[in-house]
């Protein structure tokens, strides 16, 4: 305890103005930001782990922070560069979709979590090249037709849209499959995962717990699809307040009588559950119309009319653009390189003779972030820059 991290000195030896390099035989980097030094990886294991230790100069001691978010898998070494509120970690990894990671140290999310948990907090997110279309949040009272509209949309555009599979503590209905319609889970397990920061949002609805895991949304986006979330009004409000930029649509029934008719005709709930859902519906509709959370309100009277309006909103009423090619979101890094930061750009110098060039990583348009993915990365081969 109390010993200053040795690699600060080694950075200076490397001549790195910002960031730190892998030293032979030492699989950790250090980055000093103000009074804190972040040590990523560990000297005792021969690979990059997601281990992070912080040396607090003011306290004069090492702190083990709470580490949140999507953690990187092990790799053989990495470089680290500090941007204004996060550290970019470039793994020495030949996998084209797995080399860029972000360790957030002072972003809004990290500051919120520090306040909530009362500890030092850092949060990982995986860097992804390019962007995906904004996710779509669909809310509305039980029985209004959300599930029906979503399944028609996914059937018509299977390669464009993907469903965010929520977690719930309610029992599965007859035809519902675990992992497809919901992740059916136990309350104690879900509560622990919520504590661990694995959920983007959660809410108690009709007496059960429901929630969207960060992973549920990111898996759809990683597949290059636009994510659809079917969540209640409280959940929509939480997503609105989160880092996730989405489109919010509220579905209204033509009347309460029609809503009751649909709910009863569906026949999936007991009488008691139907009455509870109808009691909650009135408040949900009022909130949906007045909360300022929703960008659009659609009335689901005639299903085909409502579906056409939904498609129009999502820009799919005419020609359908093909989904982005997943290969366009991947980029190979050389095996041997060094890095430095310059005005929102990270310059990657290739050391190997067969790749005598530089790569520029543009981080000026980052979107999202911990605890999921940081999107909007752009890698540019410097040879291309000369031509332009
Ligand atoms: N906040 C939140 N609400 C959810 C989630 N998943 C489902 N819901 C909402 O929970 C409510 C009940 O869903 P469900 O039990 O499937 O019944 P249904 O709406 O009658 O089909 C609906 O309003 C859903 O939109 C979630 O992950 N988070
Ligand atoms: N526009 C509509 N007109 C008549 N019935 C509808 C319409 N939309 C949906 N339904 C029916 O209403 C019931 C409830 O729809 P569902 O999609 O399960 O609602 P939610 O997911 O909002 O709870 C289902 O039996 C469905 O077939």
């Amino acid at each position: 305890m109390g010993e200053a991290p040795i690699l600060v000195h080694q950075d200076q030896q490397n001549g790195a103005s910002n960031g730190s390099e892998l030293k032979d035989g030492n699989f950790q980097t250090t980055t000093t930001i103000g009074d804190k030094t972040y040590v990523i990886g560990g000297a005792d294991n021969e690979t990059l782990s997601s281990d992070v230790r912080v040396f607090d100069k003011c306290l004069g001691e090492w702190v083990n922070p709470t580490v949140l978010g999507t953690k990187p898998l092990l790799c053989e070494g990495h470089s680290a560069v500090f941007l204004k509120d996060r550290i970019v970690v470039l793994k020495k990894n030949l996998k084209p979709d797995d080399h860029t990671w972000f360790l957030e140290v002072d972003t809004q999310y990290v500051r919120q979590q520090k306040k909530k948990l009362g500890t030092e907090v850092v949060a990982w997110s995986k860097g992804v090249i390019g962007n995906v279309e904004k996710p779509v949040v669909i809310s509305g009272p039980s029985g209004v037709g959300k599930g029906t509209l979503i399944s028609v949309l996914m059937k018509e555009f299977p390669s464009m849209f993907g469903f965010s599979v929520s977690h719930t503590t309610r029992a599965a209905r007859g035809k519902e499959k675990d992992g497809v319609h919901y992740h059916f889970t136990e309350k104690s397990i879900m509560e622990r995962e919520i504590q661990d920061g694995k959920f983007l949002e959660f809410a108690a609805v009709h007496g059960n717990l429901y929630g969207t895991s960060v992973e549920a949304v990111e898996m759809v986006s990683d597949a290059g699809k636009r994510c659809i979330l079917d969540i209640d009004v409280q959940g929509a409000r939480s997503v609105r307040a989160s880092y996730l930029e989405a489109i919010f649509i509220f579905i209204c029934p033509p009347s309460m009588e029609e809503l009751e008719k649909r709910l009863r005709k569906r026949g999936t709930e007991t009488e008691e559950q139907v009455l509870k859902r109808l009691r909650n519906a009135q408040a949900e509709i009022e909130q949906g119309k007045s909360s300022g959370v929703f960008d659009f309100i659609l009335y689901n009277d005639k299903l085909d009319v409502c579906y056409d309006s939904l498609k129009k909103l999502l820009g799919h009423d005419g020609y359908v653009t093909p989904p982005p090619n997943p290969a366009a979101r991947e980029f190979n890094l050389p095996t041997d390189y060094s890095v430095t930061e310059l005005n929102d750009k990270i310059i990657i110098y290739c050391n190997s003779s067969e790749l005598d060039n530089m790569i520029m990583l543009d981080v000026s348009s980052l979107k999202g972030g911990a605890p999921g993915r940081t999107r909007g990365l752009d890698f540019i081969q410097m040879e291309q820059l000369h031509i332009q």
Side-chain angles (χ1 to χ4, degrees), residues 11-62:
D11 289 348
Q12 287 161 0
Q13 281 185 343
N14 286 345
S17 55
N18 172 12
S20 47
E21 297 299 321
L22 172 74
K23 284 225 35 138
D24 281 349
N26 196 339
F27 292 83
Q28 68 180 20
T29 52
T30 65
T31 309
T32 301
I33 305 160
D35 290 326
K36 289 182 182 156
T37 297
Y38 296 83
V39 181
I40 302 172
D44 10 329
N45 59 53
E46 298 248 312
T47 50
L48 166 70
S49 65
S50 47
D51 289 351
V52 181
R53 287 174 302 141
V54 184
F55 184 79
D56 189 325
K57 212 166 114 187
C58 290
L59 299 174
E61 64 184 33
W62 287 96

Side-chain angles (χ1 to χ4, degrees), residues 142-160:
S142 182
V144 73
K146 303 178 296 295
T148 307
L149 287 162
I150 292 169
S151 71
V152 181
L153 188 72
M154 305 243 299
K155 233 177 229 152
E156 188 176 357
F157 304 106
S159 59
M160 305 289 299

Side-chain angles (χ1 to χ4, degrees), residues 142 166 170 173 182 201 210-212 230-232 266 277:
S142 182
S166 294
R170 87 151 157 76
R173 292 173 188 150
Y182 281 105
E201 63 77 30
Y210 293 80
T212 309
D230 173 349
I231 60 176
D232 87 314
R266 191 173 71 183
R277 279 157 193 262

Side-chain angles (χ1 to χ4, degrees), residues 240 287-295:
R240 200 31 127 186
Q287 286 177 41
K289 285 181 176 172
S290 64
S291 60
V293 167
F294 295 94
D295 302 306

Side-chain angles (χ1 to χ4, degrees), residues 6 29 73 89 193 199 226 236 239 267 301 366:
I6 46 161
T29 52
L73 296 176
V89 172
E193 291 186 346
F199 280 79
R226 191 171 193 182
V239 175
D301 189 357
L366 299 184

Side-chain angles (χ1 to χ4, degrees), residues 86-100:
R86 65 197 74 195
I87 298 167
V88 184
V89 172
L90 291 162
K91 283 167 67 176
K92 307 264 170 178
N93 190 335
L94 292 177
K95 271 191 170 174
D97 63 341
D98 185 41
H99 43 59
T100 310

Side-chain angles (χ1 to χ4, degrees), residues 170-199:
R170 87 151 157 76
R173 292 173 188 150
K175 285 184 184 161
E176 285 179 333
K177 284 202 187 93
D178 189 27
V180 177
H181 298 93
Y182 281 105
H183 297 289
F184 296 100
T185 182
E186 279 184 28
K187 198 168 171 222
S188 59
I189 296 176
M190 191 164 161
E191 283 174 340
R192 196 175 55 236
E193 291 186 346
I194 289 170
Q195 280 300 319
D196 291 345
K198 294 196 174 149
F199 280 79

